[in-house]
Amino acid sequence: MKKPLLTTVIFSFIILTITSCQSQETMVPSDFSLLINVRSARGFTNHYHILIDATGRATYKLYDTGGTIEYDTDGMIKVPITKIVETGKFELNQQQLNKLQRALEKNAFFTLERDYQMAIGHSFAFVHATMDGQQHTVDNIGMEVPELRAIVSTVQQILPTKIKIDYGEGFKP
């Protein structure tokens, strides 16, 4: 009788170990952050400015650009307080953070050019990411960049349903 009990205990331990290993997600690096500024699906001049940190805390601002993107002296997107239409917060779980990290890695974000800009086309994404001691910014206006489209698509998948972003159609050189 002791053999079946021992076998059951060992089998239960193995199943528990496998299950707990599968449910654990690796943590994103402690310096992980993602800032994305992209057009809202609500209208051409409305944009979302979304900031996500390594703990999954996120904030957003919906603002009306008035048709003009503004930058500070460091080349970062500015969101004038007078143009903010809505603000909010949300949280991401570890699985969602991992999905963002994988999208950045899979699309070689840190090796992309800094500027992809053309006067024609409607695609727009400004992305600034920090991860593993690296920081990189990509500013894209008008030109189709498949890697940025994939990153924006991944971000859309993990956003709360009320936040709808649109990369837009870009000019394909």
Side-chain angles (χ1 to χ4, degrees), residues 153-169:
S153 176
T154 299
V155 171
Q156 177 62 60
Q157 292 169 20
I158 56 96
L159 289 175
T161 55
K162 76 178 215 165
I163 302 174
K164 300 212 181 313
I165 58 178
D166 180 26
Y167 178 73
E169 293 303 316

Side-chain angles (χ1 to χ4, degrees), residues 7-39:
T7 304
T8 303
V9 169
I10 291 172
F11 181 72
S12 296
F13 177 75
I14 291 170
I15 295 297
L16 182 61
T17 302
I18 291 170
T19 305
S20 68
C21 287
Q22 287 175 340
S23 66
Q24 284 183 339
E25 292 285 340
T26 58
M27 300 293 285
V28 296
S30 61
D31 66 344
F32 179 87
S33 69
L34 179 68
L35 178 147
I36 185 166
N37 192 293
V38 66
R39 194 172 63 220

Side-chain angles (χ1 to χ4, degrees), residues 26-126:
T26 58
M27 300 293 285
V28 296
S30 61
D31 66 344
F32 179 87
S33 69
L34 179 68
L35 178 147
I36 185 166
N37 192 293
V38 66
R39 194 172 63 220
S40 164
R42 294 190 203 181
F44 188 74
T45 64
N46 288 329
H47 288 217
Y48 276 104
H49 189 83
I50 301 166
L51 180 59
I52 302 166
D53 72 15
T55 66
R57 284 189 224 116
T59 59
Y60 73 89
K61 297 172 187 164
L62 175 65
Y63 69 104
D64 185 346
T65 67
T68 304
I69 306 295
E70 296 183 39
Y71 297 88
D72 68 14
T73 55
D74 294 325
M76 295 295 283
I77 292 277
K78 278 188 356 183
V79 179
I81 197 161
T82 57
K83 295 185 176 188
I84 296 173
V85 176
E86 175 183 317
T87 62
K89 297 178 182 182
F90 59 94
E91 296 218 10
L92 301 178
N93 62 36
Q94 196 59 50
Q95 183 180 9
Q96 292 167 317
L97 288 170
N98 287 334
K99 191 172 190 175
L100 289 177
Q101 179 182 356
R102 285 190 303 273
L104 292 171
E105 292 169 345
K106 180 180 178 185
N107 291 286
F109 176 77
F110 291 94
T111 64
L112 294 175
E113 298 292 323
R114 171 135 176 47
D115 290 307
Y116 295 93
Q117 297 188 18
M118 299 187 78
I120 56 177
H122 298 292
S123 59
F124 171 74
F126 180 93

